[in-house]
């Protein structure tokens, strides 16, 4: 333990070197803007700026890219709250309560809750990373296809709470998302499936960004315009020291959800191919399931902002653990970082701690500094973000529309995806009018491919024996938790009806 603290101290000193400190600041600032731009996100930001890092030493390069990754995780909440457009899949869950809070004149509370929860989630995950990296990496290796599918099943179980009391409509929404996720080529046979109208463009599948921006950009814009008759205007926020102090005092309202998201996010992030998106979705679903006031989620509950933000920031740190200790990327962004490390002549794996300790502990030390720098930047820039909401929604509408079109086209470079995004937006608007929840469909298209791959790998390896999911202890525990999460809202709803029936008095009596 003493050796760890000595190494960490050396890493912190390395992070405070002038060049490294400047790169941390530049990376965090760039990440904030990359994260809040629809269509970019941490993956594209790291990929675009990777060639720039060849001008600096490897340690400084990885520090800059890790800071960019951190900043992008923070920045994803900005567009989700202020515009209702998730910049990446990791920020989808933040829209559910962040956007309603902004419409209620509580954008500063939502942005501050997102920043504080992100800071707590990042700090908790970095401490866990520092203390338990080798054993946690070894535990993550025990997750095979069976455990991955059970974990995805657990994530789907949390979706039941996202659709309110109408569970059949929620299940329909999940199934609709799974159908859209299956469009393209079969992962085993390679044959095309669900190619609507025999259009070859569907062979590439429906990208998540196309669906998310269509639903939460175009769909929500149309819904807001209809429900407010085009006269909606965000409440003006007078952001002063008194208001800031009041917002800090409300941390206790969402601290439990933040701790839950932090621990859960780090654990899910350490699993190969899981990443921050499932962590954020599971954290939101669990926070709603165990909340004292679950009906307020989706209507502006501050815990609905804090839980996913803590989880996605914790998962971003957790995903670096298998990359550093095992050479296995835990997310698409860390896959790009892994490629950069190989280009720099480093060999990620168990020997990296002994062969390049300065590199490893410099990176860990920079995580502490980057986490602090990012939360300070985020809090300082809240007044700038609030100014976006000072405009009438009729002025914001064309801006949102242009950002949606540019975000999709810049990412896919296909007009077909742009038209598809607009059609999906219209369909989402119609689902809202019919009181169908759209959130489960969006989340299902994220986890659908992961669940399908792990399910089919498990069945192939076990020659079709479904008992393989129950015979493995970790898989069995996840499945039991999933059953409990599905049963909990059904049982609680039944108990409420039973109590209501017992307390009601018969007028004839």
């Amino acid at each position: 333990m003493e050796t760890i603290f000595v190494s960490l101290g050396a890493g912190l000193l390395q992070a405070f070197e002038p060049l490294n400190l400047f790169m941390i600041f530049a990376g965090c600032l760039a990440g904030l803007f990359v994260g809040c731009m629809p269509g970019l996100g941490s993956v594209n930001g790291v990929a675009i700026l990777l060639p720039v890092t060849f001008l600096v030493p490897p340690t400084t390069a990885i520090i800059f890219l890790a800071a960019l990754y951190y900043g992008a995780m923070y920045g994803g909440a900005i567009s989700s709250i202020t515009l209702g457009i998730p910049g990446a899949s990791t920020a989808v869950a933040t829209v559910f309560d962040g956007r309603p809070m902004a419409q209620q004149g509580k954008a500063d509370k939502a942005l501050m809750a997102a920043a504080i929860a992100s800071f707590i989630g990042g700090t908790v995950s970095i401490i866990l990373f520092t203390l338990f990296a080798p054993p946690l990496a070894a535990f993550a290796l025990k997750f095979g296809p069976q455990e991955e599918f059970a974990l995805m099943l657990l994530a789907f179980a949390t979706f039941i709470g996202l659709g309110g009391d109408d569970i059949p409509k929620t299940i329909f929404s999940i199934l609709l998302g799974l159908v859209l996720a299956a469009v393209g080529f079969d992962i085993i046979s390679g044959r095309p499936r669900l190619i609507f109208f025999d259009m070859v463009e569907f062979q590439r599948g429906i990208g998540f960004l196309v669906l998310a921006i269509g639903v939460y950009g175009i769909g929500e814009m149309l819904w807001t315009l209809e429900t407010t008759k085009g006269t909606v205007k965000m409440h003006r926020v007078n952001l002063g020291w008194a208001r800031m102090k009041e917002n800090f005092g409300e941390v206790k309202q969402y601290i439990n959800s933040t701790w839950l998201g932090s621990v859960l996010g780090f654990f899910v992030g350490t699993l190969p191919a899981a990443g921050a998106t499932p962590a954020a979705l599971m954290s939101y679903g669990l926070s709603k399931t165990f909340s004292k006031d679950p009906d307020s989620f989706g209507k502006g509950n501050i815990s609905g902002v804090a839980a996913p933000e803590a989880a996605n920031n914790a998962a971003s740190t957790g995903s670096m653990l298998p990359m550093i200790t095992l050479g296995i990327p835990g997310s698409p962004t860390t896959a790009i970082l892994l490629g950069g490390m190989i280009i720099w002549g480093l060999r990620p794996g168990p020997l990296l701690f002994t062969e390049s300790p300065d590199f490893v502990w410099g990176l860990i030390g920079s995580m502490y500094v980057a986490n602090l720098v990012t939360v300070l930047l985020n809090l300082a820039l809240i007044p700038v973000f609030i100014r976006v909401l000072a405009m009438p929604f009729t002025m914001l509408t064309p801006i949102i529309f242009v950002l949606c079109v540019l975000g999709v086209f810049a990412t896919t470079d296909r007009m077909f995806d742009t038209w598809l995004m607009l059609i999906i937006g219209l369909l989402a608007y119609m689902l809202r009018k019919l009181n169908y929840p759209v959130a489960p469909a969006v989340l299902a298209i994220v986890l659908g491919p992961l669940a399908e791959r792990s399910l089919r790998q498990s069945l192939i390896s076990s020659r079709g024996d479904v008992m393989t999911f129950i015979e493995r202890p970790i898989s069995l525990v996840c499945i039991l938790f999933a059953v409990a999460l599905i049963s909990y809202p059904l049982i609680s709803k039944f108990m409420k009806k039973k109590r209501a029936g017992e307390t009601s008095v018969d007028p004839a009596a």
Side-chain angles (χ1 to χ4, degrees), residues 35-36 72-82 91 94 110-111 114 118 305 309:
C36 71
M73 288 293 108
Y74 275 75
I78 298 169
S79 60
S80 296
I81 294 170
T82 57
T94 310
L111 288 167
S118 297
V305 176
E309 283 302 304

Side-chain angles (χ1 to χ4, degrees), residues 137 267 399 493:
F267 171 71
I399 297 175
K493 187 177 180 180

